Amino acid sequence: MKIIKGFAIMAVVATIFTSCVGIPDGVTAVQNFNKDKYLGKWYEIARFDFRFERNLDNTTAQYSINPDGSIKVLNQGYNYVKKEWDSAEGKAKFVGSESEARLKVSFFGPFYGGYNVVDIDENYKNALIYGNSTEYMWILSRNKTIDEATKKRFVEKAKKDGFDVSKLIWVNHNKN
């Protein structure tokens, strides 16, 4: 009986750890993804509010390769309430094949969250990213702004995928 309980507990723990790296139902990540083209600096154009980015503007994400082959993630932003820069460093790993843009990202040890690139232009200049649920969404660009056509495409896709786009925060990029 103890063995069965042990396996049941392990199954629950495994479910908790893996459920956070999922992708919203009915959504597929970008296929034929090119990791090397994705590396570098991105500006956060829009996001859903959540506690780790609350009160941040001028937010960026910098992606590079770690010695172990994982992706180093450096997020930075200016907290306009505290009037100071904030940053967080983490790592990302592919959930499956590197040709599918489904990753898991960790800023806190063994705990990972989903990071799914669901739309990207052919030049890797603008990207739409979802977390593991419809509560997490980001629009990123290599520039501090995006054109209206791309903005409309991303917002319409997110709506179709079940996201409440009225919750989007459009990030201000007024600092260097």
Side-chain angles (χ1 to χ4, degrees):
M1 189 66 160
K2 282 186 177 182
I3 293 173
I4 293 172
K5 279 186 181 178
F7 281 123
I9 290 170
M10 287 186 342
V12 169
V13 169
T15 300
I16 290 169
F17 281 112
T18 58
S19 65
C20 293
V21 300
I23 188 168
D25 289 340
V27 176
T28 56
V30 169
Q31 303 297 311
N32 301 313
F33 184 70
N34 184 326
K35 171 183 71 174
D36 293 328
K37 286 175 71 172
Y38 196 78
L39 298 176
K41 184 175 185 174
W42 291 86
Y43 293 92
E44 186 178 78
I45 302 300
R47 69 170 181 269
F48 281 171
D49 194 25
F50 67 103
R51 64 186 173 128
F52 298 113
E53 286 191 275
R54 188 148 297 134
N55 302 322
L56 294 184
D57 269 340
N58 304 289
T59 45
T60 60
Q62 180 79 34
Y63 303 106
S64 58
I65 299 294
N66 282 318
D68 68 359
S70 64
I71 298 172
K72 178 180 176 181
V73 180
L74 178 60
N75 291 344
Q76 295 180 305
Y78 185 76
N79 187 314
Y80 55 83
V81 173
K82 294 180 181 178
K83 303 206 181 315
E84 64 186 21
W85 287 94
D86 192 9
S87 66
E89 187 173 315
K91 68 178 174 180
K93 298 178 179 180
F94 284 90
V95 173
S97 165
E98 287 190 10
S99 66
E100 181 182 25
R102 286 199 57 218
L103 296 99
K104 57 185 183 176
V105 178
S106 176
F107 292 94
F108 309 105
F111 303 101
Y112 284 86
Y115 183 98
N116 304 289
V117 182
V118 298
D119 195 349
I120 194 163
D121 60 13
E122 66 182 42
N123 296 316
Y124 284 63
K125 299 291 182 196
N126 301 292
L128 176 62
I129 293 91
Y130 297 164
N132 61 299
S133 73
T134 57
E135 298 299 312
Y136 301 97
M137 177 183 154
W138 298 266
I139 296 174
L140 303 181
S141 178
R142 299 291 188 176
N143 301 303
K144 293 180 180 182
T145 60
I146 61 171
D147 62 86
E148 283 302 313
T150 302
K151 178 180 175 180
K152 182 178 179 183
R153 184 177 95 218
F154 287 171
V155 169
E156 289 301 316
K157 176 171 178 37
K159 271 194 229 177
K160 181 179 88 48
D161 290 338
F163 287 77
D164 179 0
V165 296
S166 70
K167 297 188 324 184
L168 279 170
I169 293 171
W170 296 92
V171 178
N172 184 12
H173 285 282
N174 61 1
K175 297 235 182 254
N176 293 335

